[in-house]
Amino acid sequence: MQKTLTARTLHTGIGIIEYPVLSLSSDGTIVDISSDPKALANETTTLTATFLDVHMHGGRGHDVMTASPAELSDLQRYLAQRGVAHYLPTTVTASIETTLRALESLANAIERATGEGEAQPIGIHLEGPFLSHTKRGVHPAELLLPPSIELFDRFYAAARGHIKLMTIAPEVGAAIELITHARKMGVRLSLGHSNATAAETLAALDAGATSATHTFNAMRALDHREPGILGVVLDEDRLYAELICDGVHVAPPLIRLWLKAKGLDKAILVTDAMSAAGMPDGDYMLGPLTATIANGRALLKDDLLQGKETLAGSILTLEKAVANLQRFTGVTVGDAARLASHNPAAMLGRPELTELAQGSLANLNRFDGEGNLIATYLRGKQV
């Protein structure tokens, strides 16, 4: 028995369909997309592809590095309720043994069948340990390691090939060699937690780097004579660029600058969410670290006790990032949603994850006339 979904507009990633009528099969795929202006004259909602978060550490009190299968299912239901159909569970720098155990556990999660109404993990984002000491953020200094092909291969084997994205500082040790090696294995490389010069960043780009991790945060500051990594990230059309659009990590004028520089095709919204997302204020874990949540910010507890404030990820959700981008920049809901769906999928080389066409899965987000998420459909079923 076929089902239909309708809206005022449908944003497909390659164009906009006015007054769409989507016919869905019983297995949740799109059979046909047509248009009926007369019947839908009073429709005011917008349909887009569901979100893909390529940088998130947890939520609902669960950290992806330590979560049990039941806890991951709970996290994945929470993500789906916020418009996310796919995500990359993201590690944080920890001991080698802890990281190996986490990678094996996450590989198990990726290979398990995902429950109904849950976001699906489609790969792992390895953030650390190959980062700069100068721009380490909350990553523990004593656990950072120089880039090593041998160690990366151990991580890759433990993850059974499911590492799909890795953050690396291009100026550290043998980073360029590792970027070349990992790229040949199908891993996308994101430049971040870095104090790299412009030349060092360009060398990484030439070696195969694809993206930049949480642009502006944990990056060498922009200088008019030495643009550094940030200058290259903003200027280079070859690079995608993540951004945490919560108004805490990056001020709105710089969010607008980022969007002007990267455009609607190379800008990516991420959450960098930690386990406290969706939870009340208090203390929560980020890998081996403790973060204190208060006043909408996640701060490293050890630094707070010493009178310093160090951001420890975020408590952002992607539907809030999409709403914030509309508010901060004035873009349409369709364009804002693109940055959380089609762009990260394209960066990973997986455009089919957010495709909306005949034969695609009916994974859709519905927004009201003010650009707020009001419904999510996974395989045609409302979450």
Side-chain angles (χ1 to χ4, degrees):
M1 180 177 177
Q2 284 196 352
K3 172 183 177 181
T4 60
L5 292 177
T6 63
R8 174 61 181 81
T9 55
L10 169 68
H11 292 253
T12 69
I14 59 172
I16 299 173
I17 297 173
E18 304 284 352
Y19 307 103
V21 179
L22 287 77
S23 301
L24 313 181
S25 67
S26 58
D27 66 353
T29 58
I30 299 173
V31 176
D32 181 62
I33 302 175
S34 59
S35 177
D36 190 353
K38 291 181 180 178
L40 302 176
N42 296 321
E43 268 280 10
T44 59
T45 63
T46 297
L47 288 171
T48 74
T50 43
F51 303 144
L52 163 57
D53 196 348
V54 297
H55 189 158
M56 65 85 59
H57 300 279
R60 284 278 296 171
H62 310 305
D63 187 294
V64 299
M65 291 186 72
T66 56
S68 67
E71 289 169 338
L72 272 181
S73 287
D74 184 49
L75 170 62
Q76 288 164 186
R77 285 190 294 272
Y78 169 77
L79 292 174
Q81 290 160 9
R82 279 140 190 86
V84 177
H86 304 93
Y87 75 107
L88 296 187
T90 304
T91 64
V92 67
T93 301
S95 70
I96 291 174
E97 291 308 314
T98 296
T99 302
L100 290 170
R101 285 196 301 271
L103 292 171
E104 184 175 357
S105 175
L106 291 172
N108 293 338
I110 291 164
E111 292 169 6
R112 275 195 304 271
T114 303
E116 187 173 311
E118 295 181 19
Q120 179 184 2
I122 58 164
I124 299 166
H125 179 173
L126 186 71
E127 189 183 18
F130 309 128
L131 310 176
S132 160
H133 279 265
T134 306
K135 296 294 181 182
R136 63 184 178 84
V138 298
H139 293 258
E142 68 276 12
L143 297 176
L144 294 178
L145 295 169
S148 161
I149 289 175
E150 179 183 4
L151 180 55
F152 169 79
D153 285 347
R154 287 182 66 192
F155 289 153
Y156 192 82
R160 300 197 290 280
H162 289 299
I163 296 174
K164 300 302 179 185
L165 183 66
M166 177 169 67
T167 293
I168 188 168
E171 77 277 17
V172 178
I176 301 302
E177 290 83 351
L178 179 52
I179 288 170
T180 302
H181 173 76
R183 192 69 184 85
K184 289 178 180 176
M185 298 171 76
V187 178
R188 296 302 203 262
L189 284 305
S190 189
L191 307 179
H193 285 279
S194 168
N195 198 39
T197 63
E200 289 165 334
T201 308
L202 287 167
L205 184 53
D206 291 340
T210 302
S211 190
T213 297
H214 44 51
T215 304
F216 296 107
N217 296 113
M219 281 187 177
R220 183 190 189 106
L222 190 65
D223 181 271
H224 61 291
R225 290 195 176 92
E226 171 46 76
I229 179 172
L230 179 55
V232 174
V233 168
L234 294 174
D235 179 59
E236 266 288 348
D237 292 339
R238 290 179 289 172
L239 276 176
Y240 289 88
E242 297 177 2
L243 187 121
I244 306 168
C245 193
D246 58 359
V248 173
H249 283 75
V250 183
L254 290 181
I255 293 173
R256 291 190 284 273
L257 176 63
W258 162 81
L259 187 58
K260 289 173 185 175
K262 301 314 297 181
L264 295 175
D265 292 327
K266 291 299 177 75
I268 292 176
L269 291 173
V270 297
T271 62
D272 197 13
M274 48 93 67
S275 62
M279 301 296 286
D281 287 357
D283 290 348
Y284 298 88
M285 299 308 295
L286 176 59
L289 309 168
T290 303
T292 297
I293 310 304
N295 302 316
R297 299 195 300 165
L299 299 171
L300 188 63
K301 186 171 185 177
D302 285 350
D303 281 7
L304 268 179
L305 295 174
Q306 300 173 40
K308 297 185 292 184
E309 292 191 353
T310 304
L311 288 172
S314 85
I315 54 173
L316 183 67
T317 51
L318 264 186
E319 94 283 3
K320 289 181 180 176
V322 167
N324 288 340
L325 190 71
Q326 295 172 73
R327 183 160 55 93
F328 294 151
T329 70
V331 297
T332 67
V333 63
D335 286 341
R338 178 186 188 87
L339 274 57
S341 56
H342 301 294
N343 289 4
M347 184 273 290
L348 290 176
R350 299 287 308 277
E352 75 281 0
L353 292 173
T354 56
E355 185 177 33
L356 295 175
Q358 186 176 3
S360 326
L361 288 178
N363 291 337
L364 296 139
N365 281 335
R366 185 185 296 278
F367 297 84
D368 65 19
E370 284 70 53
N372 302 303
L373 181 67
I374 56 172
T376 294
Y377 307 88
L378 297 183
R379 291 182 175 267
K381 292 184 180 180
Q382 186 168 344
V383 175

